[in-house]
Amino acid sequence: MSSSESRNKVPCQRIRLTGVVQGVGFRPFVWRLAKELRLSGWVRTDARGLEIEARGPEQKIDALVERLQREAPPFSRIDSVHRRMAETQETEEGFAILNSLGGRAATMIGPDTAVCRSCLQDMFDPKGRRWRYAFTSCAHCGPRYAVCRELPFDRARTSFAGFAMCSKCQAEFQRAHDRRLRTAGIGCPKCGPRLALVDPAGNALAGDPVANALALLREGKILAVKGPGGFQLMCDARNVAAVAALRTRKRQPAAPFPVMFANALSATALVHVSVGEPGLLNLPERPIILLKKRNRCDAALPGVAPDLAWLGVILPVSPLHYLLFHEAAGRPEGTSWLDRAEELALVVTSGNPAGEPPAINNAEALRRLVGMADAFLLHDLELAVGAEDSVACSGPGGLQLVRRSRGYAPRSVKLPFSTPPILAFGVHDKSTVCVTRGNEAFLSHHLGNLFNPLTAEALRETAERLLAVLDASPALVVHDRDPDNPATRLAREFAARRGVPQLAVQQHHAHIAAVLAEHHRDGPAYALALDGFGLGDDGKAWGGELLRVDGASYARLGHLLPLRLAAGDHESGQPWRFAAGVLHALGRGGEIERRFADQPDAGAVAARLSAGADVEETTSMGRLLDAAAGLLGICAVTRFRGQAGLLLEGLAERHGEVRPLSGGWAIEAGCLDLRPLFAVLADEKNPKVGAALFHATLAAALTDWLVAAAPPDAMVAAGGGCLQNQVLGRGLRTGLADAGLRLLEARRIPPNDGGIALGQAWVAQHHLQGTPSR
């Protein structure tokens, strides 16, 4: 090599990043840093993540790598950085963004996020070219997972591929220092997707789609609106007739509806918005947040969330949502109107008949929502996948997801070690699937109840899509131990079709495993698994379990005193039947017919319990919550799943804290007996007092039970659907803290059945590592 050639060579490194580094503005970010540091080279994405070639002084390349990690774009996540020296090349001026490459996937796309403030400024600037444009987005916001067809994530592999950019958008797409540099969803009214308002037959209605849609809402009509994760049904939340009509058409007579407000200030007249909660409402993931109602809420929003203590509140997510509120505000210029209270409040619920997954595209919506919507506000951007709104509650323990879906899925959870890919099918209720790749678990969005054929098909499609996007082929399929669970049947069908081995994981083991996975712990953990029903190892209905969980193994240390029920009642929606079981356990079976005289089967149930014939036992905590609601006269027959527990919880919250009942429980041989508490509840005349006493005593009893079983300084955890109960969770958390124990609980993964697939995958990983499974 000549001396002149040597002088022309400069240090060159290849830098590989993995994690969430696609669809989050990472390439433009790298380009800007490289320009600032006067480095030459290029950046590109491929199926493995993001690759950089950097040429320049070594100290500047070091600075680039350090700043990549310290200043990474919002919504990105760097899991690994690998550097290697590359062959020195002739120095070329400039730093380029190259086209993406394909290949085997080793990265993941970011989730969908709400439109950012900068894009809102563009939308509400009457002099700008995106004035009232319903698809405005940039590198920092907008659809990602919903429009991604394959990795690596770029425009050609998304639903935007069919929209040719105009010259101005093309210039922005390529312009340095533009926040839309290389943004897949770039567009404008001239070249992007278009809105249309159509009647139920699909005929376009003349005029401005947004203005006409708002007019219909104000007339009390029900609209099907194509939202960021699929179709949503909307009506005026202040119009009692519109809300009642929506309930009738959707076949949801009492289930609570969430309400969309323009901003947090608009909601404060009807709900308590505590310190920090406006920030939760404005999270880019934009979940529905359950907030405590003010006294005037039910009168102002009649029939929206009747008799419950909390209202689900959500702020606008997509540009189209914002346009409806902008229209209601009179089309003001700028964004200052977003900081003022606005009157408009809209019920926003999933666009589906009860029990089915939401419709995600136009022809499907027009077919499935016929008779439900008076008009359809839709557009021609196809969604690759649909996802309902996520739901979360807020409290002293922070944000807790109740439903993990749009905005959070398919964000990964780190696992303790790498194994071959695993596919976990969860259980039938609040179903999700989970795919592992290496040391990451990707939990799908919420799918629904698998007893519905359309939901079962959606689960099959979601599993196949996740595997395809992740380029993973499962080495193990995991399912629940219950052979009659629809998720188990689907898992076995998949495993047989693919010739893949299977692993069965007990439901309550999986509940606790999901909590440990979220907190990156292996165990051993002493834990409470509290839910409605899961098949136990003895073939009986479990649901109030004290476990010791250690990787793939677990031991049942104790359980709630079994409650005897008439056969077939363990999952019925009739709390009076569970109350009847409690009365029988108290030796007061003779009261059943008198107390529940309005129930035609009361005599037969009393006779079966008395005879001990055709009965079964359960240790379910969920059924004890129902029993308390039945005994106190709060709810004899439910009108939606979980109603009795929600009403009981709401009364306790409204009453306020009370002291636990002295002597309200007993523990013998690991069995927690709550009959002393129920004996008092059976004679309590004030439902509010009874609900408060029940929660306080139950929390104290569970604390005592867990503390008695766990060694000093042990790891303690709790999971299962009953942990959605904010009053119970608060009491348990406080009681354990007073005993010197910090409770591990589900936060970013739902405590209910929506997290079971993750727990199954975690157990399976430990199984593959050689830990024996019980």
Side-chain angles (χ1 to χ4, degrees):
M1 180 185 297
S2 69
S3 59
S4 61
E5 286 178 314
S6 179
R7 285 192 299 271
N8 287 334
K9 302 295 184 179
V10 296
C12 177
Q13 289 190 30
R14 289 285 179 93
I15 304 161
R16 163 73 62 181
L17 276 65
T18 65
V20 181
V21 292
Q22 297 189 21
V24 290
F26 220 108
R27 283 183 297 173
F29 165 67
V30 173
W31 182 90
R32 285 190 285 270
L33 283 185
K35 286 288 190 180
E36 185 179 325
L37 293 167
R38 297 178 181 273
L39 291 168
S40 298
W42 46 258
V43 59
R44 68 185 175 197
T45 55
D46 59 21
R48 296 170 58 199
L50 184 136
E51 186 179 23
I52 303 165
E53 179 171 291
R55 299 190 296 272
E58 288 189 16
Q59 64 270 26
K60 290 194 174 184
I61 298 177
D62 291 342
L64 172 69
V65 173
E66 189 272 330
R67 291 181 65 183
L68 285 175
Q69 298 173 86
R70 176 164 50 87
E71 303 172 20
F75 319 123
S76 67
R77 190 193 72 232
I78 299 175
D79 291 337
S80 66
V81 178
H82 298 285
R83 302 169 62 175
R84 66 177 177 85
M85 298 301 297
E87 289 187 17
T88 57
Q89 301 178 24
E90 291 292 332
T91 301
E92 298 177 7
E93 291 297 325
F95 194 92
I97 297 178
L98 303 185
N99 291 330
S100 300
L101 297 178
R104 185 174 180 82
T107 188
M108 191 52 176
I109 184 60
D112 308 308
T113 57
V115 60
C116 69
R117 190 79 175 201
S118 296
C119 284
L120 290 174
Q121 290 171 348
D122 292 343
M123 287 171 54
F124 303 135
D125 176 6
K127 299 182 180 66
R129 54 188 207 93
R130 290 187 174 87
W131 164 246
R132 301 180 69 241
Y133 176 55
F135 307 92
T136 306
S137 68
C138 69
H140 307 304
C141 71
R144 300 291 190 271
Y145 185 59
V147 297
C148 179
R149 301 196 180 281
E150 61 179 308
L151 290 174
F153 182 82
D154 60 22
R155 188 178 177 90
R157 294 174 173 87
T158 72
S159 301
F160 288 97
F163 298 91
M165 288 181 279
C166 67
S167 58
K168 291 183 178 179
C169 286
Q170 183 71 46
E172 284 181 328
F173 187 76
Q174 298 173 328
R175 183 183 301 141
H177 302 292
D178 195 299
R179 76 176 195 280
R180 294 191 173 90
L181 176 65
R182 297 283 174 164
T183 297
I186 193 170
C188 69
K190 183 177 179 180
C191 65
R194 297 179 183 275
L195 286 178
L197 183 67
V198 305
D199 65 18
N203 301 310
L205 302 177
D208 183 276
V210 173
N212 289 344
L214 179 66
L216 290 173
L217 289 168
R218 284 177 161 164
E219 291 171 11
K221 303 297 185 183
I222 297 169
L223 260 61
V225 178
K226 194 172 185 179
F231 276 84
Q232 299 167 309
L233 292 170
M234 291 188 178
C235 72
D236 183 352
R238 301 181 191 274
N239 186 322
V240 63
V243 173
L246 179 58
R247 289 201 175 280
T248 299
R249 297 181 194 182
K250 197 171 163 67
R251 301 195 300 276
Q252 286 189 339
F257 287 141
V259 177
M260 182 177 284
F261 295 90
N263 48 42
L265 184 61
S266 301
T268 55
L270 301 178
V271 294
H272 296 277
V273 181
S274 303
V275 174
E277 287 178 337
L280 298 180
L281 287 168
N282 281 288
L283 284 170
E285 294 87 352
R286 207 62 111 242
I288 297 167
I289 304 291
L290 301 175
L291 298 176
K292 192 174 178 180
K293 289 178 180 176
R294 294 186 184 274
N295 292 335
R296 66 178 76 97
C297 183
D298 283 348
L301 306 176
V304 169
D307 303 319
L308 301 180
W310 287 272
L311 177 71
V313 174
I314 186 171
L315 303 190
V317 182
S318 69
L320 180 53
H321 289 153
Y322 273 102
L323 286 176
L324 289 169
F325 286 92
H326 183 246
E327 189 72 23
R331 297 191 187 179
E333 179 178 345
T335 57
S336 60
W337 67 277
L338 288 170
D339 300 319
R340 300 191 298 263
E342 300 291 337
E343 180 69 11
L344 183 64
L346 298 173
V347 166
V348 181
T349 185
S350 55
N352 58 303
E356 295 184 4
I360 66 170
N361 284 312
N362 298 348
E364 178 191 7
L366 288 167
R367 182 182 73 254
R368 290 177 52 205
L369 302 182
V370 63
M372 299 178 67
D374 297 305
F376 293 73
L377 184 57
L378 43 76
H379 53 74
D380 54 355
L381 178 67
E382 293 292 305
L383 299 179
V385 63
E388 296 186 59
D389 293 325
S390 296
V391 181
C393 56
S394 167
L399 187 76
Q400 181 187 60
L401 285 173
V402 175
R403 183 169 73 198
R404 184 182 186 270
S405 200
R406 181 197 48 74
Y408 293 93
R411 193 175 291 168
S412 69
V413 175
K414 283 291 185 181
L415 295 173
F417 29 68
S418 293
T419 61
I422 295 163
L423 172 61
F425 274 77
V427 291
H428 72 279
D429 193 36
K430 300 177 177 63
S431 62
T432 57
V433 294
C434 184
V435 175
T436 73
R437 184 187 61 190
N439 67 339
E440 292 181 289
F442 297 88
L443 186 65
S444 78
H445 55 284
H446 165 87
L447 294 164
N449 191 303
L450 295 180
F451 283 112
N452 182 280
L454 289 178
T455 306
E457 182 58 31
L459 183 136
R460 292 188 193 95
E461 293 174 357
T462 300
E464 294 286 1
R465 183 174 190 272
L466 266 180
L467 290 170
V469 169
L470 293 168
D471 196 12
S473 181
L476 183 65
V477 168
V478 197
H479 55 73
D480 188 67
R481 283 206 170 163
D482 185 352
D484 296 324
N485 193 299
T488 301
R489 292 198 294 269
L490 290 170
R492 288 177 168 175
E493 290 170 8
F494 180 95
R497 193 167 61 250
R498 294 277 193 107
V500 179
Q502 304 169 43
L503 177 69
V505 175
Q506 201 279 327
Q507 177 168 316
H508 301 97
H509 184 191
H511 267 313
I512 303 307
V515 176
L516 297 181
E518 177 181 343
H519 291 276
H520 312 296
R521 304 292 186 92
D522 282 331
Y526 292 78
L528 298 172
L530 309 173
D531 66 359
F533 168 78
L535 186 69
D537 295 337
D538 56 4
K540 295 181 179 179
W542 289 9
E545 312 305 313
L546 176 59
L547 306 178
R548 183 185 185 274
V549 173
D550 190 6
S553 67
Y554 78 99
R556 191 189 194 198
L557 304 180
H559 52 78
L560 294 177
L561 182 73
L563 177 65
R564 182 174 289 185
L565 303 170
D569 279 358
H570 68 263
E571 282 203 289
S572 79
Q574 301 185 58
W576 75 267
R577 292 177 178 266
F578 310 128
V582 166
L583 288 171
H584 173 77
L586 293 173
R588 298 168 64 171
E591 300 177 21
I592 294 174
E593 280 193 83
R594 175 180 57 80
R595 280 178 174 260
F596 305 112
D598 56 342
Q599 302 299 328
D601 294 339
V605 167
R608 287 163 66 187
L609 290 171
S610 178
D614 196 23
V615 296
E616 57 190 24
E617 292 183 340
T618 180
T619 58
S620 166
M621 175 58 74
R623 299 296 76 83
L624 290 188
L625 290 167
D626 288 342
L631 274 181
L632 292 167
I634 295 168
C635 182
V637 178
T638 61
R639 301 173 74 192
F640 64 89
R641 190 176 179 86
Q643 182 182 21
L646 287 171
L647 293 172
L648 184 73
E649 176 191 5
L651 287 176
E653 179 73 13
R654 289 185 175 116
H655 183 277
E657 293 185 7
V658 299
R659 294 181 63 83
L661 176 67
S662 178
W665 66 92
I667 301 171
E668 184 175 350
C671 184
L672 178 60
D673 182 357
L674 294 167
R675 284 180 297 181
L677 169 60
F678 279 103
V680 173
L681 292 186
D683 295 324
E684 178 57 59
K685 304 302 182 186
N686 187 322
K688 271 190 181 181
V689 172
L693 181 65
F694 174 78
H695 280 84
T697 306
L698 178 58
L702 292 171
T703 299
D704 193 17
W705 193 29
L706 186 52
V707 169
D713 301 320
M715 184 190 308
V716 296
C722 294
L723 272 300
Q724 292 175 202
N725 184 312
Q726 296 186 56
V727 179
L728 177 60
R730 188 165 60 230
L732 184 60
R733 196 179 306 120
T734 301
L736 289 170
D738 290 343
L741 298 171
R742 186 178 79 86
L743 179 67
L744 297 181
E745 53 189 320
R747 286 289 164 193
R748 298 297 168 155
I749 302 298
N752 55 42
D753 290 358
I756 283 180
L758 172 64
Q760 291 172 341
W762 184 90
V763 171
Q765 270 216 328
H766 285 78
H767 172 80
L768 290 177
Q769 286 293 108
T771 307
S773 179
R774 175 175 169 171

